Amino acid sequence: MVVGHLTAADADRVFHALADATRRDILIRVIRSEQSVSALARHYPMSFAAVQKHVAVLEKAALVGKKRRGREQMVHAEHETLRRIARLLDAYEDLWRQRNDQITAILEEDDERVEK
Amino acid sequence: MVVGHLTAADADRVFHALADATRRDILIRVIRSEQSVSALARHYPMSFAAVQKHVAVLEKAALVGKKRRGREQMVHAEHETLRRIARLLDAYEDLWRQRNDQITAILEEDDERVEK
DNA sequence: ATGACCTACAACCATGTTGTTGTACGTTAG
DNA sequence: CTAACGTACAACAACATGGTTGTAGGTCAT
């Protein structure tokens, strides 16, 4: 089992890759099942080369990987990266909860003072 | 309670906003406690105007909000947006699990055939 | 072997992003 | 009132992004 730490540059790349509707759609498709680049390209109103670039962005972010099969490049999701970035956002949410807990604690402390 | 649906353009803005280490750091700081733009700016090796722009990107993504207090603009986290984007990534992870469940089911079906 | 298909990659263009500096204006402190 | 502070915004330069077309090479089917 890999510990799996995400550097700041990694997070930059992953969030950047996700910041485009076409790339998110490609990711969803390959999560469902791996597909060749040209099969993916058929779904979008842009050139094959443009889709190829989107896949390259996802690949540099390690959100997908490619595996040659004959003359096709099969694109598959790299679930571990998706998991890591989801956990990173969870950590942000935890920060918020901790802050709220502190505020709640302080307010309760005030209540005690008032009651005394 | 707001239903809270994230359009594709919303997700574009949020992921783009998160795709920069400085902006993620600003977000973390204001999650912990709201701060003025100039207080934030003191932490980074760049001009006040640059930090102002980063805050504007976070604000357009609705990850933070601003509230004037005297001559200062207090920046605070908008937790709801953070929550929504975290849930969006959760949905992607669910897709992966569904796919795995299907594969597992098919394999088990194969096993049954072999056993017969 | 030939043609069709899939991919890779370079060159190019338009636009957007990220930093800078400079100017202007409202607010607070002394 | 004046000086310092906090903010807003415009203009600019450098670079990145997202699309295009064109060329080239590897693989498969006939």
Side-chain angles (χ1 to χ4, degrees), chain B residues 51-105:
Chain B
V51 174
Q52 215 178 9
K53 282 191 185 179
H54 281 304
V55 171
V57 171
L58 288 165
E59 195 179 10
K60 272 169 194 153
L63 280 165
V64 307
K66 285 193 291 191
K67 200 172 59 178
R68 184 165 284 286
R69 201 177 68 188
R71 62 184 164 183
E72 294 180 333
Q73 283 278 24
M74 301 306 291
V75 182
H76 60 90
E78 293 283 4
H79 182 249
E80 185 57 22
T81 304
L82 189 55
R83 203 188 63 76
R84 285 182 199 168
I85 210 74
R87 295 299 82 76
L88 178 58
L89 286 191
D90 289 347
Y92 284 30
E93 288 202 273
D94 285 345
L95 276 184
W96 175 270
R97 284 186 208 104
Q98 286 169 30
R99 170 185 171 282
N100 275 8
D101 289 351
Q102 280 185 7
I103 289 172
T104 302

Side-chain angles (χ1 to χ4, degrees), chain B residues 29-40:
Chain B
R29 287 182 192 276
V30 301
I31 285 175
R32 292 190 202 275
S33 70
E34 68 172 17
Q35 299 189 40
S36 71
V37 180
S38 52
L40 287 169

Side-chain angles (χ1 to χ4, degrees), chain A residues 32-45:
Chain A
R32 290 191 204 276
S33 68
E34 67 171 18
Q35 299 190 38
S36 71
V37 180
S38 52
L40 286 169
R42 281 189 267 277
H43 296 292
Y44 308 101

